[in-house]
Amino acid sequence: MALNVLSLFTISTFILLSISFVSISVADTNQTTPVSPGTICKSTPNPSYCLSVLPKQSGNVYDYGRFSVRKSLSQSRKFLNLVDQYLQRRSGTISTAAIGALEDCRVLASLNIDFLLSSFNTVNTTGKTLSALKADDVQTLLSAILTNQQTCSDGLQLASPSWSLKNGFSVPLSNDTKLYSVSLALFSKGWVPKNKKSTAWQPSKKQLPLRNGRLNLKMSQQTRVVYESVSTRKLLQTASVDDQVMVSDMVIVSQDESGNFTTISDAVAAAPNNTDGTNGYFLIYITAGVYEEYVSIAKNKKYLMMVGDGINQTVITGNRSVVDGWTTFNSATFAVVAPNFVAVNITFRNTAGAIKHQAVAVRSGADLSTFYSCSFEGYQDTLYTHSLRQFYRECDIYGTVDFIFGNAAVVFQNCNLYPRMPMSGQFNAITAQGRTDPNQNTGTSILNCVIRAADDLASSNVTFNTYLGRPWKEYSRTVYMQSDMGSLIDPAGWMAWSGDFALSTLYYAEYNNTGPGSNTTNRVTWPGYHVINSTDAANFTLSNFLLGEDWLPQTGVPYTAGLL
């Protein structure tokens, strides 16, 4: 994501002061009292636009919220139709790059319709503050809708800076973005509990009895025999029934034709559609080998678990890049949008190299997704944590410019972050977080990770600056906590994107890190940068930021719920 596209909507002055972790979600005691649209619009990022779209008669926040979400759903369908109209032409007036960007927009617009349908079903049946879990679900979906819209806009701008403006996409993209922002703000005000996230620090090291990429899988006896006969790592362990991960069925991918499939994509296609997880995960066991294929896991392949033979043993690799004509979004070697996805013991690579600029190894827009004991290898834009809620544990991540980027609500624990040698004249930025709206519940949280130079950078005689991150979007939010930072980190810590863009509205924070690169004495002095205490840091823990204790146990992956 190397394109600096400013947010498509104007942020009012009072919002600029709201850069703390807790999203704007004031649940007033008299939310059912009718107020004027002018009054309710003051709680949105763009009051003037809000006032132009809401009905003129008085109503309460729930009335306005339902109207806005319903109108958002209608607009999302119109936008998808617009994209389809242009794609059907595919004439010489549309460049190949623009067609690729439009195809991304079609995927994203389709997801937006799904998310808005789900959100509307909730707001249309409830006129009161929701439980923390339910509120987080809908706020996550509405946050992702804005992210999807921004991704579509960025792709069109990068594909052809003048094309989207000339062909009628600029106005609907801008207006729909502002409308989605109104919907998110009104939902946050009316349905999200005031104390949605706990701020009390409670040391917690809850970890399931699993280590080194091993899961205790609960299978049928027949499936277990097959699995044990082919697995060289013997992933099954003796543990209590409560610690077992349920598996409904299993297929084996093996290049020597000894399994069910020789390609991962064929195995994914064989997985059942739209399962609810009641009977467990559909397990794809991928034996050791280098799989040169592009894997895409569609939204209907829910509760899919992939287990390999280990980092550098099971490798999925590709080399798509922006330089070679792909969009950043579609350059990924491995892409997943299906909810409740789990990957274990796999290396994901993009071998395009630094010279090809943006080249993604993994793009995840999968809600409640988990990567455990995996490796992500690339240069610029290695790991695209695109949207929704994600968790990474004991993973290795290699890259150069913005190599962890996106706008998910994502937590990294016990991971190794390896800046590597960039091209001459470049720098390393570990993160580029893409939050565009103050009500999005998104951000990047990094706990108990280790930052060290990769071998090529460590052995180089050339010095390259390495930063913890830079603000890709206006409300960029990233926190490093209790992590070990090597000496390669620049004393300033963080890098500006362009001039003073986002320096007042971002939220960057550090808490109790160690190592020679953790000294905050000479850090940036931006208004949005903070050295925080344990109470503030607790907001970014797995338990509070992702409500992870409610969905991670079923994955069998170990985790730390709070601070160390």
Side-chain angles (χ1 to χ4, degrees):
M1 37 31 9
L3 181 68
N4 182 16
V5 180
L6 296 182
S7 176
L8 292 172
F9 50 86
T10 304
I11 307 300
S12 61
T13 303
F14 84 97
I15 284 292
L16 298 180
L17 301 176
S18 181
I19 57 175
S20 63
F21 163 77
V22 181
S23 297
I24 300 171
S25 57
V26 180
D28 298 333
T29 56
N30 58 344
Q31 295 285 46
T32 57
T33 303
V35 296
S36 69
T39 298
I40 202 70
C41 284
K42 291 178 181 178
S43 62
T44 69
N46 194 324
S48 61
Y49 181 83
C50 171
L51 194 58
S52 73
V53 295
L54 291 187
K56 303 308 177 187
Q57 65 268 28
S58 293
N60 61 41
V61 66
Y62 302 109
D63 298 327
Y64 291 125
R66 291 188 194 99
F67 176 89
S68 181
V69 174
R70 182 170 58 247
K71 186 174 179 64
S72 294
L73 178 57
S74 174
Q75 288 303 114
S76 68
R77 287 172 170 151
K78 290 179 181 178
F79 185 74
L80 178 58
N81 288 335
L82 177 65
V83 172
D84 282 338
Q85 289 172 20
Y86 277 95
L87 281 173
Q88 286 167 8
R89 298 175 188 177
R90 288 184 179 272
S91 66
T93 60
I94 303 179
S95 68
T96 301
I99 288 173
L102 283 169
E103 288 174 340
D104 292 347
C105 289
R106 180 164 59 184
V107 171
L108 294 161
S110 176
L111 289 170
N112 279 356
I113 291 172
D114 292 344
F115 296 166
L116 281 162
L117 273 170
S118 177
S119 300
F120 182 70
N121 287 337
T122 298
V123 301
N124 200 41
T125 56
T126 308
K128 61 181 180 180
T129 301
L130 296 171
S131 68
L133 275 175
K134 189 62 178 177
D136 196 59
D137 286 343
V138 180
Q139 190 177 12
T140 295
L141 294 179
L142 294 175
S143 295
I145 290 162
L146 279 166
T147 302
N148 290 343
Q149 194 79 350
Q150 187 69 53
T151 302
C152 170
S153 176
D154 286 357
L156 288 171
Q157 291 279 358
L158 187 60
S160 180
S162 62
W163 184 89
S164 61
L165 299 174
K166 190 169 94 174
N167 288 276
F169 274 87
S170 179
V171 171
L173 276 169
S174 176
N175 286 342
D176 289 355
T177 297
K178 288 184 282 190
L179 178 61
Y180 300 159
S181 177
V182 170
S183 294
L184 175 59
L186 295 180
F187 177 81
S188 299
K189 181 174 177 61
W191 283 268
V192 176
K194 185 175 182 180
N195 296 318
K196 177 170 169 263
K197 311 281 189 185
S198 169
T199 57
W201 179 48
Q202 297 178 344
S204 174
K205 297 184 181 180
K206 180 174 181 179
Q207 297 187 7
L208 301 180
L210 311 165
R211 295 291 186 275
N212 302 321
R214 298 184 178 185
L215 302 179
N216 179 40
L217 304 173
K218 182 180 181 181
M219 307 173 173
S220 68
Q221 185 59 35
Q222 180 180 3
T223 302
R224 177 178 300 203
V225 170
V226 174
Y227 186 77
E228 289 187 305
S229 69
V230 298
S231 174
T232 57
R233 292 177 63 86
K234 301 296 182 187
L235 298 181
L236 294 173
Q237 296 187 57
T238 56
S240 69
V241 173
D242 290 340
D243 295 325
Q244 292 181 330
V245 179
M246 290 185 63
V247 174
S248 61
D249 202 356
M250 181 193 74
V251 295
I252 299 168
V253 179
S254 180
Q255 292 176 323
D256 65 6
E257 300 185 349
S258 62
N260 305 96
F261 302 97
T262 57
T263 70
I264 300 165
S265 295
D266 285 345
V268 171
N273 296 331
N274 295 314
T275 58
D276 61 6
T278 301
N279 296 320
Y281 293 94
F282 183 85
L283 174 65
I284 299 176
Y285 171 54
I286 310 170
T287 61
V290 178
Y291 295 82
E292 297 182 5
E293 59 177 301
Y294 297 94
V295 179
S296 181
I297 303 176
K299 62 185 180 182
N300 61 342
K301 300 295 182 178
K302 302 175 182 179
Y303 288 93
L304 192 64
M305 177 180 283
M306 288 186 174
V307 178
D309 272 334
I311 290 175
N312 293 328
Q313 299 300 309
T314 297
V315 180
I316 306 173
T317 184
N319 63 359
R320 289 176 178 170
S321 69
V322 167
V323 170
D324 287 339
W326 299 92
T327 61
T328 301
F329 184 82
N330 210 24
S331 69
T333 300
F334 187 96
V336 55
V337 294
N340 300 96
F341 173 77
V342 181
V344 184
N345 295 341
I346 300 172
T347 289
F348 303 92
R349 283 183 187 150
N350 189 314
T351 61
I355 197 170
K356 293 298 180 73
H357 296 281
Q358 301 99 318
V360 176
V362 166
R363 167 174 53 82
S364 176
D367 198 21
L368 309 178
S369 57
T370 306
F371 292 82
Y372 175 41
S373 190
C374 290
S375 182
F376 306 85
E377 300 176 11
Y379 288 84
Q380 182 171 345
D381 291 4
T382 301
L383 177 56
Y384 196 171
T385 57
H386 180 263
S387 55
L388 302 165
R389 293 165 289 193
Q390 306 178 26
F391 179 61
Y392 296 76
R393 174 81 181 199
E394 295 173 32
C395 292
D396 299 333
I397 308 161
Y398 298 81
T400 55
V401 181
D402 308 333
F403 66 90
I404 299 172
F405 74 109
N407 194 27
V410 57
V411 171
F412 294 88
Q413 287 186 357
N414 298 34
C415 293
N416 298 308
L417 312 181
Y418 292 115
R420 61 198 309 183
M421 190 163 69
M423 291 192 299
S424 176
Q426 284 188 328
F427 55 86
N428 287 327
I430 297 172
T431 65
Q433 207 281 325
R435 186 166 169 255
T436 61
D437 190 288
N439 287 296
Q440 287 178 309
N441 60 351
T442 56
T444 299
S445 172
I446 297 172
L447 174 70
N448 195 32
C449 292
V450 176
I451 304 171
R452 291 288 184 271
D455 290 344
D456 60 348
L457 182 60
S459 61
S460 173
N461 294 323
V462 181
T463 300
F464 294 92
N465 295 100
T466 296
Y467 301 93
L468 299 174
R470 59 181 187 146
W472 181 25
K473 302 296 180 184
E474 194 161 4
Y475 289 89
S476 183
R477 182 161 61 181
T478 302
V479 176
Y480 285 82
M481 304 183 296
Q482 299 177 314
S483 292
D484 182 358
M485 300 180 177
S487 60
L488 75 165
I489 300 299
D490 188 279
W494 307 81
M495 181 183 183
W497 185 274
S498 178
D500 62 357
F501 170 70
L503 302 188
S504 296
T505 50
L506 60 79
Y507 185 91
Y508 285 166
E510 298 180 54
Y511 168 69
N512 203 24
N513 297 300
T514 59
S518 67
N519 190 328
T520 59
T521 303
N522 295 310
R523 287 295 197 250
V524 295
T525 56
W526 306 335
Y529 170 74
H530 310 273
V531 177
I532 56 177
N533 58 28
S534 62
T535 300
D536 293 331
N539 289 319
F540 295 95
T541 60
L542 179 79
S543 178
N544 288 336
F545 195 36
L546 296 186
L547 305 186
E549 289 183 284
D550 292 288
W551 56 273
L552 266 173
Q554 67 177 328
T555 68
V557 171
Y559 61 86
T560 302
L563 297 170
L564 301 179

